mmCIF file of all heavy atoms in Angstrom:
data_model
loop_
_atom_site.group_PDB
_atom_site.id
_atom_site.type_symbol
_atom_site.label_atom_id
_atom_site.label_comp_id
_atom_site.label_asym_id
_atom_site.label_seq_id
_atom_site.Cartn_x
_atom_site.Cartn_y
_atom_site.Cartn_z
ATOM 1 N N GLU A 1 10.977 -12.103 -18.337
ATOM 2 C CA GLU A 1 10.254 -12.907 -17.297
ATOM 3 C C GLU A 1 11.082 -13.096 -16.095
ATOM 4 O O GLU A 1 10.633 -13.904 -15.118
ATOM 5 C CB GLU A 1 9.623 -14.257 -17.810
ATOM 6 C CG GLU A 1 8.626 -13.962 -18.848
ATOM 7 C CD GLU A 1 7.313 -13.140 -18.372
ATOM 8 O OE1 GLU A 1 6.771 -13.500 -17.261
ATOM 9 O OE2 GLU A 1 6.927 -12.321 -19.111
ATOM 10 N N GLU A 2 12.193 -12.628 -15.877
ATOM 11 C CA GLU A 2 13.049 -12.765 -14.720
ATOM 12 C C GLU A 2 12.983 -11.555 -13.929
ATOM 13 O O GLU A 2 13.199 -10.477 -14.326
ATOM 14 C CB GLU A 2 14.533 -13.083 -15.265
ATOM 15 C CG GLU A 2 15.459 -13.418 -14.025
ATOM 16 C CD GLU A 2 16.801 -13.846 -14.488
ATOM 17 O OE1 GLU A 2 17.147 -13.723 -15.593
ATOM 18 O OE2 GLU A 2 17.597 -14.325 -13.611
ATOM 19 N N LEU A 3 12.808 -11.709 -12.577
ATOM 20 C CA LEU A 3 12.721 -10.634 -11.659
ATOM 21 C C LEU A 3 14.121 -9.833 -11.583
ATOM 22 O O LEU A 3 15.060 -10.542 -11.174
ATOM 23 C CB LEU A 3 12.268 -11.073 -10.402
ATOM 24 C CG LEU A 3 11.987 -10.004 -9.261
ATOM 25 C CD1 LEU A 3 10.908 -8.982 -9.734
ATOM 26 C CD2 LEU A 3 11.613 -10.555 -8.027
ATOM 27 N N VAL A 4 14.115 -8.571 -11.810
ATOM 28 C CA VAL A 4 15.392 -7.859 -11.798
ATOM 29 C C VAL A 4 15.463 -7.074 -10.434
ATOM 30 O O VAL A 4 16.384 -7.109 -9.725
ATOM 31 C CB VAL A 4 15.399 -6.894 -12.869
ATOM 32 C CG1 VAL A 4 16.641 -5.864 -12.796
ATOM 33 C CG2 VAL A 4 15.445 -7.572 -14.277
ATOM 34 N N ALA A 5 14.209 -6.560 -10.082
ATOM 35 C CA ALA A 5 14.157 -5.744 -8.886
ATOM 36 C C ALA A 5 12.750 -5.475 -8.459
ATOM 37 O O ALA A 5 11.803 -5.833 -9.306
ATOM 38 C CB ALA A 5 14.839 -4.375 -9.053
ATOM 39 N N GLY A 6 12.464 -5.127 -7.181
ATOM 40 C CA GLY A 6 11.107 -4.859 -6.870
ATOM 41 C C GLY A 6 10.998 -4.387 -5.455
ATOM 42 O O GLY A 6 11.932 -4.328 -4.722
ATOM 43 N N TYR A 7 9.730 -3.970 -5.117
ATOM 44 C CA TYR A 7 9.551 -3.624 -3.643
ATOM 45 C C TYR A 7 8.125 -3.809 -3.341
ATOM 46 O O TYR A 7 7.313 -3.948 -4.270
ATOM 47 C CB TYR A 7 9.948 -2.102 -3.385
ATOM 48 C CG TYR A 7 9.205 -0.995 -4.253
ATOM 49 C CD1 TYR A 7 8.056 -0.552 -3.771
ATOM 50 C CD2 TYR A 7 9.831 -0.578 -5.500
ATOM 51 C CE1 TYR A 7 7.420 0.497 -4.539
ATOM 52 C CE2 TYR A 7 9.178 0.346 -6.215
ATOM 53 C CZ TYR A 7 7.943 0.964 -5.645
ATOM 54 O OH TYR A 7 7.366 1.862 -6.457
ATOM 55 N N LYS A 8 7.854 -3.923 -2.093
ATOM 56 C CA LYS A 8 6.528 -4.186 -1.588
ATOM 57 C C LYS A 8 6.010 -3.008 -0.797
ATOM 58 O O LYS A 8 6.825 -2.405 -0.050
ATOM 59 C CB LYS A 8 6.483 -5.455 -0.764
ATOM 60 C CG LYS A 8 5.196 -5.744 -0.149
ATOM 61 C CD LYS A 8 5.151 -7.084 0.627
ATOM 62 C CE LYS A 8 6.035 -6.997 1.892
ATOM 63 N NZ LYS A 8 6.060 -7.980 2.865
ATOM 64 N N PHE A 9 4.774 -2.688 -0.853
ATOM 65 C CA PHE A 9 4.249 -1.689 0.048
ATOM 66 C C PHE A 9 2.831 -2.163 0.305
ATOM 67 O O PHE A 9 2.290 -3.015 -0.346
ATOM 68 C CB PHE A 9 4.154 -0.274 -0.669
ATOM 69 C CG PHE A 9 3.278 -0.109 -1.834
ATOM 70 C CD1 PHE A 9 1.962 0.124 -1.705
ATOM 71 C CD2 PHE A 9 3.886 -0.345 -3.113
ATOM 72 C CE1 PHE A 9 1.170 0.239 -2.909
ATOM 73 C CE2 PHE A 9 3.069 -0.243 -4.128
ATOM 74 C CZ PHE A 9 1.745 0.081 -4.155
ATOM 75 N N TYR A 10 2.142 -1.574 1.380
ATOM 76 C CA TYR A 10 0.952 -1.929 1.815
ATOM 77 C C TYR A 10 -0.013 -0.654 1.589
ATOM 78 O O TYR A 10 0.227 0.404 1.899
ATOM 79 C CB TYR A 10 0.918 -2.289 3.273
ATOM 80 C CG TYR A 10 1.625 -3.522 3.534
ATOM 81 C CD1 TYR A 10 3.063 -3.482 3.970
ATOM 82 C CD2 TYR A 10 1.052 -4.751 3.386
ATOM 83 C CE1 TYR A 10 3.582 -4.711 4.330
ATOM 84 C CE2 TYR A 10 1.787 -5.948 3.763
ATOM 85 C CZ TYR A 10 3.028 -5.790 4.123
ATOM 86 O OH TYR A 10 3.708 -7.024 4.405
ATOM 87 N N LEU A 11 -1.226 -1.057 1.008
ATOM 88 C CA LEU A 11 -2.269 -0.047 0.900
ATOM 89 C C LEU A 11 -3.315 -0.304 1.992
ATOM 90 O O LEU A 11 -3.863 -1.407 2.081
ATOM 91 C CB LEU A 11 -2.951 -0.117 -0.506
ATOM 92 C CG LEU A 11 -4.048 0.923 -0.706
ATOM 93 C CD1 LEU A 11 -3.592 2.345 -0.660
ATOM 94 C CD2 LEU A 11 -4.684 0.539 -2.044
ATOM 95 N N GLY A 12 -3.600 0.702 2.794
ATOM 96 C CA GLY A 12 -4.694 0.565 3.861
ATOM 97 C C GLY A 12 -5.696 1.464 3.636
ATOM 98 O O GLY A 12 -5.543 2.538 3.114
ATOM 99 N N LYS A 13 -6.936 0.945 3.831
ATOM 100 C CA LYS A 13 -8.255 1.759 3.788
ATOM 101 C C LYS A 13 -9.016 1.370 4.928
ATOM 102 O O LYS A 13 -9.058 0.341 5.432
ATOM 103 C CB LYS A 13 -8.966 1.410 2.580
ATOM 104 C CG LYS A 13 -8.339 1.769 1.233
ATOM 105 C CD LYS A 13 -9.195 1.546 -0.079
ATOM 106 C CE LYS A 13 -8.552 1.997 -1.270
ATOM 107 N NZ LYS A 13 -9.362 1.802 -2.372
ATOM 108 N N SER A 14 -9.712 2.502 5.496
ATOM 109 C CA SER A 14 -10.545 2.240 6.607
ATOM 110 C C SER A 14 -11.723 1.380 6.184
ATOM 111 O O SER A 14 -12.319 1.725 5.275
ATOM 112 C CB SER A 14 -11.092 3.617 7.197
ATOM 113 O OG SER A 14 -11.948 3.494 8.223
ATOM 114 N N THR A 15 -11.965 0.480 7.062
ATOM 115 C CA THR A 15 -13.205 -0.289 6.752
ATOM 116 C C THR A 15 -14.424 0.034 7.613
ATOM 117 O O THR A 15 -15.591 -0.513 7.593
ATOM 118 C CB THR A 15 -13.032 -1.867 6.970
ATOM 119 O OG1 THR A 15 -12.515 -1.978 8.293
ATOM 120 C CG2 THR A 15 -11.938 -2.374 5.958
ATOM 121 N N LYS A 16 -14.162 1.035 8.563
ATOM 122 C CA LYS A 16 -15.236 1.383 9.615
ATOM 123 C C LYS A 16 -15.862 2.683 8.978
ATOM 124 O O LYS A 16 -16.970 3.022 9.500
ATOM 125 C CB LYS A 16 -14.494 1.597 10.868
ATOM 126 C CG LYS A 16 -14.054 0.444 11.535
ATOM 127 C CD LYS A 16 -13.400 0.645 12.847
ATOM 128 C CE LYS A 16 -12.819 -0.646 13.419
ATOM 129 N NZ LYS A 16 -12.155 -0.561 14.635
ATOM 130 N N LEU A 17 -15.282 3.319 8.084
ATOM 131 C CA LEU A 17 -15.923 4.643 7.642
ATOM 132 C C LEU A 17 -16.705 4.389 6.311
ATOM 133 O O LEU A 17 -16.406 3.480 5.586
ATOM 134 C CB LEU A 17 -14.710 5.612 7.220
ATOM 135 C CG LEU A 17 -13.751 6.040 8.491
ATOM 136 C CD1 LEU A 17 -12.608 6.844 8.155
ATOM 137 C CD2 LEU A 17 -14.711 6.782 9.583
ATOM 138 N N PRO A 18 -17.529 5.248 6.031
ATOM 139 C CA PRO A 18 -18.290 5.161 4.749
ATOM 140 C C PRO A 18 -17.310 5.210 3.586
ATOM 141 O O PRO A 18 -16.216 5.766 3.762
ATOM 142 C CB PRO A 18 -19.248 6.414 4.794
ATOM 143 C CG PRO A 18 -19.250 6.891 6.164
ATOM 144 C CD PRO A 18 -18.068 6.395 6.859
ATOM 145 N N SER A 19 -17.687 4.519 2.454
ATOM 146 C CA SER A 19 -16.875 4.359 1.343
ATOM 147 C C SER A 19 -16.263 5.629 0.893
ATOM 148 O O SER A 19 -15.091 5.632 0.524
ATOM 149 C CB SER A 19 -17.613 3.602 0.262
ATOM 150 O OG SER A 19 -18.533 4.394 -0.309
ATOM 151 N N ILE A 20 -16.966 6.729 0.820
ATOM 152 C CA ILE A 20 -16.341 7.946 0.389
ATOM 153 C C ILE A 20 -15.282 8.567 1.341
ATOM 154 O O ILE A 20 -14.189 9.021 0.745
ATOM 155 C CB ILE A 20 -17.481 9.160 0.187
ATOM 156 C CG1 ILE A 20 -16.866 10.296 -0.487
ATOM 157 C CG2 ILE A 20 -18.036 9.483 1.512
ATOM 158 C CD1 ILE A 20 -16.650 10.197 -1.990
ATOM 159 N N ILE A 21 -15.457 8.364 2.533
ATOM 160 C CA ILE A 21 -14.371 8.819 3.465
ATOM 161 C C ILE A 21 -13.216 7.820 3.491
ATOM 162 O O ILE A 21 -12.064 8.163 3.543
ATOM 163 C CB ILE A 21 -14.916 8.938 4.809
ATOM 164 C CG1 ILE A 21 -16.057 10.065 4.871
ATOM 165 C CG2 ILE A 21 -13.891 9.358 5.845
ATOM 166 C CD1 ILE A 21 -16.831 10.230 6.098
ATOM 167 N N SER A 22 -13.546 6.506 3.368
ATOM 168 C CA SER A 22 -12.408 5.497 3.328
ATOM 169 C C SER A 22 -11.485 5.653 2.224
ATOM 170 O O SER A 22 -10.268 5.444 2.309
ATOM 171 C CB SER A 22 -13.059 4.041 3.330
ATOM 172 O OG SER A 22 -13.622 3.770 2.301
ATOM 173 N N SER A 23 -12.050 6.151 1.011
ATOM 174 C CA SER A 23 -11.128 6.297 -0.075
ATOM 175 C C SER A 23 -10.285 7.537 0.125
ATOM 176 O O SER A 23 -9.155 7.578 -0.355
ATOM 177 C CB SER A 23 -11.926 6.455 -1.463
ATOM 178 O OG SER A 23 -12.769 7.729 -1.325
ATOM 179 N N ILE A 24 -10.605 8.541 0.848
ATOM 180 C CA ILE A 24 -9.853 9.610 1.227
ATOM 181 C C ILE A 24 -8.900 9.311 2.272
ATOM 182 O O ILE A 24 -7.831 9.885 2.303
ATOM 183 C CB ILE A 24 -10.769 10.800 1.716
ATOM 184 C CG1 ILE A 24 -11.668 11.321 0.624
ATOM 185 C CG2 ILE A 24 -9.977 11.967 2.264
ATOM 186 C CD1 ILE A 24 -12.700 12.301 1.053
ATOM 187 N N SER A 25 -9.240 8.428 3.122
ATOM 188 C CA SER A 25 -8.289 8.056 4.242
ATOM 189 C C SER A 25 -7.335 6.986 3.881
ATOM 190 O O SER A 25 -6.651 6.451 4.715
ATOM 191 C CB SER A 25 -9.057 7.623 5.533
ATOM 192 O OG SER A 25 -9.723 6.342 5.235
ATOM 193 N N SER A 26 -7.222 6.593 2.628
ATOM 194 C CA SER A 26 -6.272 5.646 2.231
ATOM 195 C C SER A 26 -4.877 5.953 2.558
ATOM 196 O O SER A 26 -4.476 7.190 2.498
ATOM 197 C CB SER A 26 -6.429 5.322 0.703
ATOM 198 O OG SER A 26 -7.648 4.829 0.388
ATOM 199 N N HIS A 27 -4.072 5.107 2.825
ATOM 200 C CA HIS A 27 -2.591 5.308 3.083
ATOM 201 C C HIS A 27 -1.803 4.160 2.636
ATOM 202 O O HIS A 27 -2.176 3.060 2.499
ATOM 203 C CB HIS A 27 -2.368 5.630 4.572
ATOM 204 C CG HIS A 27 -2.648 4.457 5.413
ATOM 205 N ND1 HIS A 27 -3.969 4.043 5.775
ATOM 206 C CD2 HIS A 27 -1.884 3.367 5.921
ATOM 207 C CE1 HIS A 27 -3.957 2.938 6.590
ATOM 208 N NE2 HIS A 27 -2.698 2.580 6.741
ATOM 209 N N VAL A 28 -0.469 4.571 2.353
ATOM 210 C CA VAL A 28 0.499 3.682 1.731
ATOM 211 C C VAL A 28 1.589 3.513 2.819
ATOM 212 O O VAL A 28 2.039 4.560 3.400
ATOM 213 C CB VAL A 28 1.087 4.017 0.515
ATOM 214 C CG1 VAL A 28 2.153 3.189 -0.078
ATOM 215 C CG2 VAL A 28 -0.111 4.107 -0.620
ATOM 216 N N THR A 29 2.010 2.356 3.089
ATOM 217 C CA THR A 29 3.168 1.964 4.079
ATOM 218 C C THR A 29 4.288 1.227 3.366
ATOM 219 O O THR A 29 3.980 0.231 2.695
ATOM 220 C CB THR A 29 2.616 1.198 5.239
ATOM 221 O OG1 THR A 29 1.541 1.891 5.788
ATOM 222 C CG2 THR A 29 3.642 1.042 6.342
ATOM 223 N N PHE A 30 5.449 1.801 3.406
ATOM 224 C CA PHE A 30 6.629 1.121 2.898
ATOM 225 C C PHE A 30 7.464 0.591 4.087
ATOM 226 O O PHE A 30 7.671 1.245 5.032
ATOM 227 C CB PHE A 30 7.577 2.037 2.097
ATOM 228 C CG PHE A 30 6.936 2.357 0.842
ATOM 229 C CD1 PHE A 30 6.030 3.423 0.551
ATOM 230 C CD2 PHE A 30 7.336 1.696 -0.356
ATOM 231 C CE1 PHE A 30 5.479 3.804 -0.585
ATOM 232 C CE2 PHE A 30 6.839 2.039 -1.598
ATOM 233 C CZ PHE A 30 5.874 3.098 -1.662
ATOM 234 N N PHE A 31 8.051 -0.692 3.954
ATOM 235 C CA PHE A 31 8.962 -1.121 4.868
ATOM 236 C C PHE A 31 10.210 -1.616 4.116
ATOM 237 O O PHE A 31 10.123 -2.315 3.091
ATOM 238 C CB PHE A 31 8.448 -2.338 5.660
ATOM 239 C CG PHE A 31 7.396 -2.081 6.517
ATOM 240 C CD1 PHE A 31 6.018 -2.635 6.146
ATOM 241 C CD2 PHE A 31 7.481 -1.385 7.569
ATOM 242 C CE1 PHE A 31 4.969 -2.288 7.029
ATOM 243 C CE2 PHE A 31 6.406 -1.128 8.438
ATOM 244 C CZ PHE A 31 5.165 -1.582 8.167
ATOM 245 N N GLY A 32 11.466 -1.274 4.515
ATOM 246 C CA GLY A 32 12.667 -1.714 3.993
ATOM 247 C C GLY A 32 12.919 -0.994 2.598
ATOM 248 O O GLY A 32 12.360 0.006 2.391
ATOM 249 N N GLU A 33 13.873 -1.603 1.904
ATOM 250 C CA GLU A 33 14.309 -1.038 0.599
ATOM 251 C C GLU A 33 14.012 -1.966 -0.492
ATOM 252 O O GLU A 33 13.541 -3.257 -0.166
ATOM 253 C CB GLU A 33 15.908 -0.839 0.720
ATOM 254 C CG GLU A 33 16.327 0.062 1.797
ATOM 255 C CD GLU A 33 17.807 0.074 1.998
ATOM 256 O OE1 GLU A 33 18.477 -0.721 1.244
ATOM 257 O OE2 GLU A 33 18.309 0.875 2.677
ATOM 258 N N PRO A 34 14.111 -1.649 -1.637
ATOM 259 C CA PRO A 34 13.867 -2.501 -2.779
ATOM 260 C C PRO A 34 14.693 -3.728 -2.805
ATOM 261 O O PRO A 34 15.835 -3.671 -2.222
ATOM 262 C CB PRO A 34 14.137 -1.677 -4.082
ATOM 263 C CG PRO A 34 13.919 -0.227 -3.594
ATOM 264 C CD PRO A 34 14.458 -0.264 -2.194
ATOM 265 N N ILE A 35 14.240 -4.820 -3.462
ATOM 266 C CA ILE A 35 15.184 -5.956 -3.575
ATOM 267 C C ILE A 35 15.799 -5.931 -4.920
ATOM 268 O O ILE A 35 15.183 -5.311 -5.862
ATOM 269 C CB ILE A 35 14.431 -7.325 -3.319
ATOM 270 C CG1 ILE A 35 13.235 -7.491 -4.379
ATOM 271 C CG2 ILE A 35 13.847 -7.337 -1.854
ATOM 272 C CD1 ILE A 35 12.505 -8.812 -4.270
#
C-alpha cells in the first residue's frame, strides 16, 4: 500500500465530434518523467 513510483498522463477525446469519431480521435499526453 506504499507508493513506489508512478506517472500521470492525460487522455483527451473530442467532445464536438460524434461518439464513433471521438473514440478514434482520442489522444494521450505525457508531461515530465515518472515519480
Side-chain angles (χ1 to χ4, degrees):
E1 295 300 314
E2 185 174 11
L3 184 63
V4 174
Y7 60 90
K8 175 180 70 171
F9 63 89
Y10 293 97
L11 176 65
K13 292 184 180 186
S14 174
T15 57
K16 296 179 182 178
L17 298 172
S19 62
I20 187 77
I21 296 173
S22 68
S23 64
I24 295 170
S25 69
S26 298
H27 63 279
V28 172
T29 304
F30 285 89
F31 293 112
E33 300 173 353
I35 60 171

